[in-house]
Amino acid sequence: MVEPDFDKRGGLVTAIAQDADNGEILMVAYMNREAWRHTIATRRGKYWSTSRNELWVKGDTSGHVQHVREIFVDCDADVVLLKVEQTGAACHEGYRNCFFRRLDGETWRVIADRVTP
Amino acid sequence: MVEPDFDKRGGLVTAIAQDADNGEILMVAYMNREAWRHTIATRRGKYWSTSRNELWVKGDTSGHVQHVREIFVDCDADVVLLKVEQTGAACHEGYRNCFFRRLDGETWRVIADRVTP
């Protein structure tokens, strides 16, 4: 099994989840080797939480599951790109994606509505 | 000036450059506060190299400049998304984007051609 380079950044790689249909960047998280292997085996996005120091499967508590359609790795092998089918909100704040604030002059402007409460 | 949260991950935020026209994810790099401020001021992508420990402006040596059209921040404020107009190759290996290898069974398969030698 080929793998990204977990040694470069202390055991973790950055993982970007992108909507497989429309190219929208949904969220950015981290994977350790266990999360990576689980994701490959199940085609469900599993990540390592750097704030809680634990593994989590996207959607296990929220129901907003993530089916992984394709996986890419970058030239440096320390970032992986998952093209996914995302149910509901990818962002834990209820937005479809985590990038709902755009720089507008001197402020961040919220440019999306929540898709879940 | 609003800023992402540079304190969360030791002074750096992750920066994703996405093609503003077609949604293609071009590259992932890092920014410190100086790179961020320079990018905002000039609308040219500037980054912090974690391998060389120095600032670099995308395209300064290669000519493959990156004009930043829009900037977004994620819910945790430690990832920024730049929607850019990219000249030539975003990847230092000559590919249009850095994600030119796709997981195909047990191997990485190169799925793009170089756009520059």
Side-chain angles (χ1 to χ4, degrees), chain A residues 9-25:
Chain A
R9 300 186 189 276
L12 299 179
V13 296
T14 300
I16 305 173
Q18 183 180 30
D19 188 303
D21 290 319
N22 69 11
E24 177 185 359
I25 298 178

Side-chain angles (χ1 to χ4, degrees), chain A residues 23-93:
Chain A
E24 177 185 359
I25 298 178
L26 297 168
M27 53 175 272
V28 173
Y30 303 89
M31 284 185 178
N32 61 9
R33 184 171 275 115
E34 185 180 343
W36 164 261
R37 290 182 177 173
H38 186 274
T39 298
I40 299 300
T42 64
R43 310 304 285 191
R44 288 273 303 276
K46 186 167 191 169
Y47 303 98
W48 175 258
S49 168
T50 59
S51 57
R52 301 190 307 275
N53 286 319
E54 62 181 20
L55 290 161
W56 58 287
V57 174
K58 180 70 186 167
D60 262 5
T61 55
S62 66
H64 298 151
V65 296
Q66 209 168 61
H67 175 71
V68 179
R69 205 191 281 175
E70 292 181 306
I71 301 177
F72 300 80
V73 68
D74 82 338
C75 50
D76 293 330
D78 60 355
V79 182
V80 295
L81 166 59
L82 314 178
K83 298 210 178 183
V84 306
E85 295 159 30
Q86 173 72 54
T87 303
C91 180
H92 72 291
E93 293 194 25

Side-chain angles (χ1 to χ4, degrees), chain B residues 37-54:
Chain B
R37 290 183 177 173
H38 186 274
T39 299
I40 300 298
T42 64
R43 310 303 285 192
R44 289 271 304 276
K46 187 168 191 170
Y47 303 98
W48 175 258
S49 167
T50 59
S51 57
R52 300 190 308 274
N53 285 319
E54 62 181 20

Side-chain angles (χ1 to χ4, degrees), chain B residues 64-75:
Chain B
H64 298 153
V65 297
Q66 209 168 60
H67 174 71
V68 179
R69 204 190 281 176
E70 292 180 306
I71 301 176
F72 300 80
V73 68
D74 82 338
C75 49

